[in-house]
Amino acid sequence: MMQSPSQPFERSLGWVGHYAIGVAFAFILLAVAGPVWLQNPTIQMPLMIGVLSLAIPFFLMQPAFGFGIAAAKTPAPKIARIRSLIAHLSFGLGLYLTGLCLNLLQTTGATS
């Protein structure tokens, strides 16, 4: 897949898809934790969502690119896994910080 010629709009569609998946995981957070989570955001659930979101690159994207499950066929699988974990934990942290910001806006009346 990595040697195939790029297609029109391939990069743009990839980024749109990537962000759409992120939005879907944010909705999963709200579906699991409930809208009450926005009233009192905690970090545990967003970090769990971040870790669970690793399933997509480990079991779908990396094998599709020929890198094997969880980057097993790359020259440094451990480094690739750690980088993926850091990126997805950062996503979870972003979900948490967004929840805090939305809660702050709601409590200060800025959303009225």
Side-chain angles (χ1 to χ4, degrees):
M1 182 180 264
M2 298 302 288
Q3 285 91 19
S4 63
S6 61
Q7 300 297 310
F9 307 108
E10 176 180 31
R11 185 177 304 251
S12 299
L13 287 172
W15 279 110
V16 167
H18 193 236
Y19 282 103
I21 291 167
V23 169
F25 274 105
F27 280 114
I28 290 170
L29 168 65
L30 293 175
V32 172
V36 172
W37 180 81
L38 289 172
Q39 296 169 359
N40 186 24
T42 58
I43 197 163
Q44 295 85 359
M45 187 62 72
L47 289 182
M48 187 172 19
I49 294 290
V51 170
L52 291 174
S53 70
L54 279 170
I56 292 176
F58 280 3
F59 300 111
L60 182 67
M61 297 305 299
Q62 291 169 355
F65 288 132
F67 300 152
I69 293 175
K73 295 181 181 178
T74 62
K78 187 175 182 179
I79 291 172
R81 292 172 189 148
I82 290 170
R83 286 181 178 168
S84 290
L85 177 62
I86 290 169
H88 286 252
L89 285 175
S90 297
F91 169 68
L93 181 61
L95 289 173
Y96 172 64
L97 293 174
T98 300
L100 285 178
C101 289
L102 291 172
N103 178 267
L104 182 63
L105 288 173
Q106 182 179 19
T107 57
T108 60
T111 58
S112 316

